[in-house]
Amino acid sequence: MSNTIEKAWAYIETFRALAQSNPGPIEDSITFDFGRHNWHCVLTSVVHGNEVGSLPGICQLIQEIQNGKLSFGGRLSILLGNVAACKAGKRFIESDLNRAFGDTPPDTSEGRRATQMKSVLRSAD
């Protein structure tokens, strides 16, 4: 594993540990519900396995919410996209996740992940 992949994987493990307190509706997701309004904001990270620059900020955001330093008011969901590709140090495993969100997703790991993610994204404002 390269140094970049090792660092990214450490953040993914941090994300997963943080998500245990506020698990989201799908694997590798987290949801907070502050209950003050009905707005639902969804953030994503690692949509492409080799685009991991947002992971440190996502983990810091989650920690600050859990520590009470930040709040949103409504629901906030955070999804990790293509974790398998990240671990492999690749953009994707079988197909580009961005291209898998259509009406007929490909029969690939990314197509299955897009279908899972769409269930959350559809509820976003």
Side-chain angles (χ1 to χ4, degrees):
M1 225 186 255
S2 77
N3 192 33
T4 301
I5 297 170
E6 287 176 13
K7 286 181 182 178
W9 197 250
Y11 281 112
I12 289 170
E13 289 176 340
T14 297
F15 179 96
R16 288 175 169 173
L18 293 167
Q20 291 179 14
S21 300
N22 299 87
I26 62 174
E27 183 180 5
D28 290 322
S29 72
I30 188 168
T31 296
F32 298 97
D33 190 346
F34 297 95
R36 293 194 305 267
H37 57 73
N38 293 326
W39 289 95
H40 184 201
C41 180
V42 178
L43 305 175
T44 63
S45 183
V46 194
V47 171
H48 296 116
N50 62 349
E51 295 175 353
V52 297
S54 61
L55 279 171
I58 289 289
C59 288
Q60 182 178 352
L61 173 67
I62 295 166
Q63 289 168 330
E64 291 188 9
I65 290 169
Q66 289 181 340
N67 292 334
K69 293 180 180 179
L70 293 173
S71 67
F72 172 63
R75 278 187 304 145
L76 173 65
S77 295
I78 303 169
L79 315 176
L80 298 183
N82 204 337
V83 174
C86 178
K87 188 171 187 176
K90 298 178 168 184
R91 183 173 176 84
F92 57 84
I93 300 295
E94 298 174 273
S95 63
D96 192 320
L97 181 57
N98 267 351
R99 308 292 182 262
F101 285 96
D103 292 334
T104 309
D107 186 21
T108 62
S109 59
E110 284 85 2
R112 290 183 287 281
R113 183 61 178 167
T115 299
Q116 292 171 345
M117 291 174 72
K118 283 193 296 189
S119 70
V120 180
L121 293 167
R122 284 188 181 115
S123 69
D125 293 297

